[in-house]
Amino acid sequence: MTISIIGLGWLGTPLAAELQNQGYTVKGSTTKPDKRDLLRADGIEAFQLILDPGVKGELPVSLFETDILLINVPPSRRSKPADFHPKQIQQLKDLIVQNQIKKVLYVSATSVYPSENQLARETTTLSLANTGNPTLLNAENLLWENKNYDLTVIRFGGLLGDDRIPGRYFSGKENVAGHPPVNYIHRRDAVRAIPWILTNKLWNETFNIVSPVHPSKKEVFEKNAADFGFPPPASYENPEGQQWKKISPDKWLQTGFIFDFNNPLDFSYTP
């Protein structure tokens, strides 16, 4: 089986190596020619692909000659308009249809759920009126509409671990939200989740994939600070009135997947 990964970044690059180790033929894309060359030197068939939001420059045709396409293109919400990412996805959908790709994975995020002090499940009703991330929800809906391919949408929690230490981002800051529960997943478990879907043929589903244990943000930030010797947040917000959500991974756990990192307090890091 051949799989093409659109987006060989922080998640996509180790995923490509894992899939190769499991016997898949892997192709992938990056926006930078120097990174493309480095990936090729590491044995990954990499191409340059820029979606701006349509294909900019030459289309790497062989990238779309594949059995499975994994779309791992995070939206640039701060620097681009809200419709930019859905237009990227529409471009990719057109290429999926043109190339008759039969199986598609889309990496979304749990930010699609609103923060309404609730336990969020895949059955939670989402609309553009209540979603926490209309850009991602629009993209998901585009891929589901009038499809002629198998599709699975993966809603990852906050991707952390290795060189991403959550407490470092809030070190020394004032009025940090510390009360809400975290919805994190270690990069290693995120990488392991994709082959699990392929091996178990978990198609035409949406999955929340987050670590099952949800300590508070304050617990995680304070532990990171103690473990690595940087200052914790200088102060925390009053918990009254804070909006939060806890993401349920129950549906994902029912597939039999076993997390390496059940609890974000136990994540491994390589600072």
Side-chain angles (χ1 to χ4, degrees):
M1 294 287 284
T2 299
I3 181 167
S4 289
I5 301 171
I6 308 300
L8 290 173
W10 191 79
L11 175 64
T13 299
L15 173 60
E18 177 69 19
L19 289 166
Q20 282 185 327
N21 289 339
Q22 295 198 21
Y24 291 88
T25 299
V26 181
K27 307 175 187 179
S29 76
T30 177
T31 59
K32 299 179 175 63
D34 54 343
K35 186 170 183 182
R36 174 201 59 198
D37 296 341
L38 288 171
L39 289 163
R40 287 178 175 176
D42 287 338
I44 297 172
E45 188 177 0
F47 303 86
Q48 184 180 18
L49 176 66
I50 298 173
L51 297 171
D52 191 32
V55 175
K56 184 177 179 180
E58 186 176 353
L59 174 70
V61 175
S62 66
L63 181 64
F64 295 92
E65 295 170 349
T66 186
D67 301 304
I68 306 161
L69 188 75
L70 186 145
I71 303 172
N72 179 38
V73 183
S76 303
R77 289 198 293 168
R78 293 178 181 175
S79 59
K80 302 291 184 182
D83 64 346
F84 184 84
H85 183 65
K87 286 179 179 178
Q88 290 179 310
I89 299 306
Q90 183 62 60
Q91 174 70 81
L92 290 172
K93 183 174 181 177
D94 292 344
L95 290 165
I96 289 163
V97 172
Q98 291 167 22
N99 289 275
Q100 299 182 342
I101 298 172
K102 298 303 182 186
K103 297 186 183 300
V104 178
L105 290 160
Y106 177 60
V107 175
S108 184
T110 56
S111 59
V112 296
Y113 297 106
S115 293
E116 297 177 336
N117 301 0
Q118 87 284 20
L119 181 67
R121 302 182 184 276
E122 293 86 348
T123 52
T124 298
T125 300
L126 293 175
S127 69
L128 293 179
N130 77 343
T131 181
N133 191 328
T135 295
L136 278 180
L137 186 62
N138 268 326
E140 288 186 14
N141 290 340
L142 268 172
L143 288 169
W144 284 117
E145 289 168 3
N146 302 317
K147 69 182 182 66
N148 62 352
Y149 45 81
D150 289 323
L151 170 67
T152 287
V153 171
I154 303 163
R155 292 174 177 164
F156 280 134
L159 285 158
L160 293 158
D162 298 327
D163 61 336
R164 288 188 180 177
I165 305 172
R168 180 170 283 165
Y169 303 123
F170 299 93
S171 176
K173 293 189 176 179
E174 303 276 357
N175 296 318
V176 172
H179 171 70
V182 300
N183 299 291
Y184 292 162
I185 180 170
H186 194 282
R187 176 165 63 170
R188 176 60 190 159
D189 282 323
V191 166
R192 292 177 55 241
I194 306 298
W196 184 262
I197 290 170
L198 302 180
T199 299
N200 292 282
K201 300 179 173 59
L202 302 173
W203 294 107
N204 301 305
E205 300 282 0
T206 296
F207 291 107
N208 297 335
I209 307 183
V210 301
S211 293
V213 180
H214 304 266
S216 71
K217 291 184 176 183
K218 181 178 180 179
E219 288 177 285
V220 174
F221 300 162
E222 298 280 339
K223 186 172 190 298
N224 290 165
D227 287 347
F228 297 104
F230 52 73
S235 64
Y236 292 95
E237 287 182 358
N238 187 326
E240 292 184 15
Q242 286 186 19
Q243 296 296 299
W244 54 269
K245 59 194 169 200
K246 184 184 289 185
I247 306 299
S248 169
D250 288 352
K251 180 181 175 181
W252 178 243
L253 290 170
Q254 288 168 10
T255 71
F257 184 86
I258 298 173
F259 284 84
D260 283 346
F261 298 94
N262 279 294
N263 189 337
L265 292 173
D266 299 327
F267 279 10
S268 68
Y269 297 102
T270 54

